[in-house]
């Protein structure tokens, strides 16, 4: 009994030491990270609230470490003590690093950590500049502080009552406690208040332990009685899970004047173009005035959703309406299942295809995906010359590549060298990406000031936007580049027979995200000289829906035939002008994080249920029946997703043009 009492006396002392250090990390977030990384002014309220979540995290960690500590203590007390000191110091070191990450990315790091290669993580770290000499020195100081507090702190003798209470508390927290994640109405507020290390641990736990069955290929097919809205699948263990009849209706033709020859299609994917800051009613004010004017003469979807919160899924989703796999379709690399995309589907109709990007096309395995579709040409940063304008480098010398004006210039010069006939051109921009450095920075800073002054925003909202001048300046830079692109392209002979499809790959996370669905909220603009009837569309669609509608349009107007059965996740764009959502789709926050699902007017994020309203606002609701229904639908999607991709059962060989 004396040994147990002495064990707990020492353990409580170490636990109090760790609490002091965790509080110090929170103070570091409050006093340094919030200011150095331009968190919103109201963030301090949630940082203060975060002390409560830090206490929850401390108790959970202490309860988990108690068992191995006790085992080691019974063998050799000194070994147990140093086990705790090393574990606690590691936790503090990771917590500080995660605080830096949160300051830069404005979202906490989760299980997506394991979705990126070392090269990709290295590039992202260099671009953010988070790991510099100052941050390294701060990390070293925290290590020294941790060792000092953990070794030197002594507490007076603890009464038996406190010891008995601690036994009960640690046991209860070990069984029922969480790791300090916050559940507040606003997503960014939840991220700010929550313990960053706790978020990482909980994310990994949910991904690899709690939902481990979702990451395995189920031996049995889902029951035939379970249905996902809009799908008519045949659930057999040997079937291709997503395969269904291609019944997409042509909804685009009524808005176009048909030309005799098949159109050239230009798909412009804009890095980080979110609806929060693009469009007439953008809640941060619109910083894309030219795109806004273009949308007045276009088919414009106000409530389009990207399929992920990062770039990794944009090509498979837009070009192929493909499932995610575990970490993203492209991330399967050489194990990527054989499939069709718009590139291969248009091959028999003599379309020449090309991809243009100012960065490294190998990032996110984009080049591999495109080559497997037998794209005719890829131009990335290796295809630019000395006269092309590279994005300014950070102090550490890192630059992602070439800016939007350089990309568009390269594109315009290159298409003149391509074969005659219809083209499929895919352009991915780069400038609206951390670290948000552009040529003519001073000019676009002034344009930001002028644009902000012209917007009908409250004084508080304008002050808020000023915190992110660099980000907004890149939007204005892109918008000017787009204006020049359209102006120059309009001089071409094929201009009158070209369709431009413009959308964002995801919303920019470096400007704090307001809600769980906000990260996916992007505009979609389909513009062409052939459009005879512009339409503003408030109904919800996703990137999954672009391919089905585009192929239906080409089939109806140009006698192009496509497979009668397809494994497309999407069903087609909804043209309803008023707000509604007829779709049911999964959305993937980051690689490794398939956590969100929408169905009709409801949105499932983790275990939380929300109701969707116009402008894609969401409100938390309590409805166990609806919650369970969406969870069941989502679980079916997850099982289909993994079964199809790991078993290579996406497209049957008999339907593939390219094998």
């Amino acid at each position: 009994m004396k040994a147990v009492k002495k064990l707990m006396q020492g353990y409580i002392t170490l636990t109090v030491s760790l609490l002091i250090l965790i509080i110090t990390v929170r103070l570091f977030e409050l006093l340094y990270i919030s200011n150095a990384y331009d968190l919103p002014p109201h963030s301090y309220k949630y940082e203060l609230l975060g002390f409560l979540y830090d206490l929850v995290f401390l108790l959970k960690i202490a309860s988990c470490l108690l068992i191995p500590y006790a085992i080691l203590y019974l063998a050799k007390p000194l070994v147990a003590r140093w086990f705790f000191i090393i574990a606690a110091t590691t936790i503090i070191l990771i917590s500080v690093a995660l605080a830096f990450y949160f300051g830069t990315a404005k979202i906490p790091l989760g299980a997506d950590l394991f979705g990126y290669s070392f090269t990709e993580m290295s590039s992202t770290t260099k671009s953010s500049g988070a790991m510099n000499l100052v941050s390294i020195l701060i990390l070293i100081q925290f290590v020294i502080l941790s060792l000092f507090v953990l070794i030197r702190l002594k507490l007076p003798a603890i009464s038996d009552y406190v010891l008995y209470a601690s036994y009960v508390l640690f046991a209860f927290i070990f069984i029922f406690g969480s790791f300090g994640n916050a559940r507040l109405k606003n997503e960014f507020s939840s991220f700010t208040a929550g313990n960053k290390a706790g978020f990482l641990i909980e994310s990994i736990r949910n991904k690899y332990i709690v939902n481990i069955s979702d990451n395995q290929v189920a031996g049995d097919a889902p029951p035939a009685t379970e249905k996902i809205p809009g799908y008519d699948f045949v659930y057999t263990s040997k079937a291709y899970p997503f395969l269904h009849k291609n019944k997409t209706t042509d909804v685009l033709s009524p808005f176009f004047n048909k030309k005799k020859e098949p159109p050239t299609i230009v798909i412009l994917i804009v890095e980080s173009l979110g609806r929060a800051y693009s469009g007439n009613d953008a809640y941060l004010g619109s910083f894309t005035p030219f795109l806004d004017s273009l949308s007045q003469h276009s088919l414009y979807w106000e409530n389009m959703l990207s399929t992920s919160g990062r770039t990794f899924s944009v090509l498979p989703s837009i070009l192929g309406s493909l499932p995610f796999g575990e970490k993203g379709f492209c991330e399967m690399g050489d194990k990527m299942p054989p499939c069709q995309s718009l590139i291969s589907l248009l091959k028999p109709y003599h379309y020449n295809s090309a991809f243009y990007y100012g960065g490294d096309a190998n990032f996110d395995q984009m080049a591999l995906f495109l080559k497997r579709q037998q794209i005719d040409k890829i131009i990335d940063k290796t295809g630019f010359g000395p006269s092309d304008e590279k994005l300014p480098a950070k102090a550490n010398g890192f630059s992602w590549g070439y800016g939007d004006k350089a990309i568009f210039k390269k594109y315009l010069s290159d298409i003149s060298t391509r074969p005659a006939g219809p083209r499929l051109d895919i352009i991915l921009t780069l400038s609206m990406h951390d670290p948000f450095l552009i040529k003519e920075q001073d000019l676009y800073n002034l344009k930001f000031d002028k644009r902000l002054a012209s917007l009908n925003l409250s004084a508080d909202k304008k002050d808020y936007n000023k915190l992110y001048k660099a980000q907004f300046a890149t939007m204005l830079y892109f918008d000017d580049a787009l204006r020049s692109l359209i102006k120059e392209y309009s001089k071409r002979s094929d201009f009158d027979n070209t369709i431009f499809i413009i959308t964002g790959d995801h919303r920019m996370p470096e400007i704090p995200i307001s809600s769980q669905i906000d990260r996916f909220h992007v505009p979609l603009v389909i513009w062409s000289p052939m459009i005879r009837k512009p339409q503003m569309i408030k109904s919800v669609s996703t990137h999954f829906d672009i391919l089905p509608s585009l192929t239906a349009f080409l089939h109806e107007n140009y006698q192009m035939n496509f497979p009668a059965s397809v494994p497309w996740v999407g069903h087609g764009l909804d043209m309803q002008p008023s707000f509604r959502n007829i779709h049911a789709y999964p959305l993937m926050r980051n690689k490794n994080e398939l956590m969100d699902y929408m169905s009709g007017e409801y949105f499932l994020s983790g275990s939380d249920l929300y109701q969707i309203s116009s402008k894609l606002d969401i409100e938390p609701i309590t409805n166990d029946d609806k919650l369970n229904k969406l969870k069941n639908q989502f679980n079916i999607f997850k099982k289909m997703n993994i079964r199809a991709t790991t078993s290579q059962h996406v497209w049957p060989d008999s339907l593939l043009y390219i094998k």
Side-chain angles (χ1 to χ4, degrees), residues 322 329 336-341 344 369 372-373 650-651 656 658:
L322 291 163
F329 192 87
M336 205 182 300
C339 64
Q340 300 278 76
S341 73
S344 56
F369 172 77
R372 282 177 167 243
Q373 295 302 304
V650 177
W651 276 86
L656 291 173
I658 297 172

Side-chain angles (χ1 to χ4, degrees), residues 335-612:
K335 296 181 180 179
M336 205 182 300
C339 64
Q340 300 278 76
S341 73
L342 188 62
I343 298 167
S344 56
L345 291 169
L346 293 182
K347 277 281 180 185
Y349 300 101
H350 311 294
Y351 270 77
N352 182 266
S353 56
F355 175 69
Y356 300 87
Y357 179 49
D360 181 1
N362 293 306
F363 197 87
D364 285 335
Q365 304 273 19
M366 293 186 294
L368 179 59
F369 172 77
L370 294 166
K371 288 175 182 177
R372 282 177 167 243
Q373 295 302 304
Q374 294 191 7
I375 197 164
D376 294 303
K377 177 181 279 191
I378 294 176
I379 291 183
D380 69 356
K381 67 179 183 180
T382 61
F384 287 76
S387 62
D388 294 310
E389 283 190 354
K390 203 170 188 179
L391 289 170
K394 289 186 68 68
N396 61 10
F398 179 84
S399 171
W400 278 107
Y402 293 84
D404 300 350
K405 290 184 179 180
I407 294 170
F408 295 160
K409 179 181 177 183
K410 172 66 69 175
Y411 166 67
L412 289 166
S413 65
D414 182 72
I415 53 178
S416 300
T417 68
R418 305 238 313 265
R423 302 188 320 274
L424 171 61
D425 300 333
I426 306 150
I427 310 171
L428 175 59
T429 71
L430 186 59
S431 299
M432 288 164 57
H433 195 295
D434 184 51
F436 308 105
L437 297 175
I438 51 176
K439 292 287 185 181
E440 304 173 286
Q441 188 75 59
D442 291 341
L443 170 64
Y444 284 96
N445 286 345
L446 290 173
K447 287 194 172 191
F448 163 77
D449 293 335
K450 184 177 179 180
R451 179 66 180 174
L452 184 64
S454 70
L455 294 173
N456 185 25
L457 298 174
S458 67
D460 287 345
K461 186 61 68 69
K462 288 185 177 181
D463 288 340
Y464 177 90
N465 284 0
K466 288 175 184 177
L467 295 173
Y468 307 103
K469 176 182 282 193
Q471 287 87 339
F472 287 119
T474 63
M475 298 172 201
L476 292 167
Y477 168 84
F478 153 73
D479 199 61
D480 274 359
L482 177 64
R483 179 186 286 108
S484 297
L485 169 66
I486 298 299
K487 179 181 178 181
E488 291 302 312
Y489 196 99
S490 66
K491 300 174 184 177
R492 293 183 50 83
S493 59
D494 60 350
F495 171 69
D496 288 339
N497 196 27
T498 298
I499 297 173
F500 288 86
I501 300 173
I502 306 170
T503 190
D505 58 349
H506 55 80
R507 197 261 207 208
M508 184 185 292
E510 287 81 5
I511 299 176
I513 295 169
S514 66
S515 71
Q516 287 83 346
I517 204 170
D518 187 29
R519 70 173 69 214
F520 307 107
H521 195 183
V522 296
L524 173 66
V525 176
I526 297 182
W527 176 78
S528 172
M530 291 186 284
I531 285 189
R532 63 182 180 86
K533 187 171 71 170
Q535 181 76 57
M536 304 294 284
I537 301 157
K538 296 182 182 294
S539 55
V540 179
S541 294
T542 76
H543 285 166
F544 286 133
D545 296 307
I546 294 174
L547 175 66
S549 286
L550 193 55
T551 52
F553 171 78
L554 294 172
H555 169 73
E556 184 69 24
N557 293 282
Y558 302 97
Q559 292 71 56
M560 297 185 193
N561 293 317
F562 302 106
S565 295
V566 291
W568 296 335
V569 177
H571 304 294
L573 298 164
D574 185 6
M575 306 299 294
Q576 178 71 27
S578 59
F579 178 80
R580 71 175 183 181
N581 179 30
I582 60 174
H583 298 301
Y585 295 135
L587 304 171
M588 198 170 195
R589 295 184 192 180
N590 297 293
K591 295 179 184 180
N592 268 352
E593 289 191 313
L594 184 55
M595 298 177 64
D596 301 296
Y597 176 75
M598 69 163 188
S599 180
E601 60 184 295
Y602 298 99
F603 181 74
L604 177 68
S605 182
S607 297
D608 299 322
L609 183 66
Y610 300 84
Q611 188 153 14
I612 306 172

Side-chain angles (χ1 to χ4, degrees), residues 219-403:
D220 297 325
T225 55
E226 296 187 72
K227 297 291 183 182
I228 301 173
Y231 289 90
D232 184 18
F233 297 118
V234 178
Y235 290 121
T236 66
S237 59
K238 295 181 180 179
Y240 286 76
F242 286 97
L243 196 63
H244 58 279
K245 294 293 183 182
N246 185 0
K247 299 178 180 178
T248 306
T249 302
D250 173 28
V251 295
L252 298 177
S253 288
F255 300 91
F256 280 82
N257 290 314
K258 178 186 172 184
K259 297 286 185 178
K260 182 178 179 181
E261 298 298 325
T264 283
I265 300 168
V266 180
I267 300 177
L268 177 55
I269 304 167
V270 184
E271 171 67 45
S272 298
L273 180 64
R275 273 284 286 123
Y277 34 79
S278 178
N280 292 333
D281 59 348
Y283 72 82
L284 293 177
S286 179
F287 289 83
T288 56
F290 176 73
L291 181 60
D292 295 349
S293 66
L294 201 65
S295 70
Q296 301 298 316
H297 308 282
S298 309
L299 303 178
Y300 177 65
W301 284 260
E302 297 182 4
N303 291 319
M304 175 60 51
L305 292 174
S306 67
T307 57
S308 71
R310 293 291 186 184
T311 310
F312 66 89
S313 81
V314 71
L315 294 182
S317 296
I318 290 179
L319 299 176
S321 195
L322 291 163
F324 295 111
E326 186 177 353
K327 300 177 182 178
F329 192 87
C330 293
E331 284 302 306
M332 289 180 279
D334 291 333
K335 296 181 180 179
M336 205 182 300
C339 64
Q340 300 278 76
S341 73
L342 188 62
I343 298 167
S344 56
L345 291 169
L346 293 182
K347 277 281 180 185
Y349 300 101
H350 311 294
Y351 270 77
N352 182 266
S353 56
F355 175 69
Y356 300 87
Y357 179 49
D360 181 1
N362 293 306
F363 197 87
D364 285 335
Q365 304 273 19
M366 293 186 294
L368 179 59
F369 172 77
L370 294 166
K371 288 175 182 177
R372 282 177 167 243
Q373 295 302 304
Q374 294 191 7
I375 197 164
D376 294 303
K377 177 181 279 191
I378 294 176
I379 291 183
D380 69 356
K381 67 179 183 180
T382 61
F384 287 76
S387 62
D388 294 310
E389 283 190 354
K390 203 170 188 179
L391 289 170
K394 289 186 68 68
N396 61 10
F398 179 84
S399 171
W400 278 107
Y402 293 84

Side-chain angles (χ1 to χ4, degrees), residues 184-238:
L184 305 177
K185 181 178 179 180
N186 180 282
E187 184 177 58
F188 181 74
S189 302
S190 298
F191 290 159
T192 304
N195 183 279
K196 311 307 180 291
F199 182 92
L200 176 62
I201 293 171
E202 193 72 22
S203 178
I204 294 171
R205 173 178 172 271
N206 288 337
K207 174 66 179 177
Y208 295 106
I209 301 175
V210 175
N211 295 323
I212 189 70
S213 60
D214 294 334
N215 301 320
Q216 298 172 337
V217 180
D220 297 325
T225 55
E226 296 187 72
K227 297 291 183 182
I228 301 173
Y231 289 90
D232 184 18
F233 297 118
V234 178
Y235 290 121
T236 66
S237 59
K238 295 181 180 179

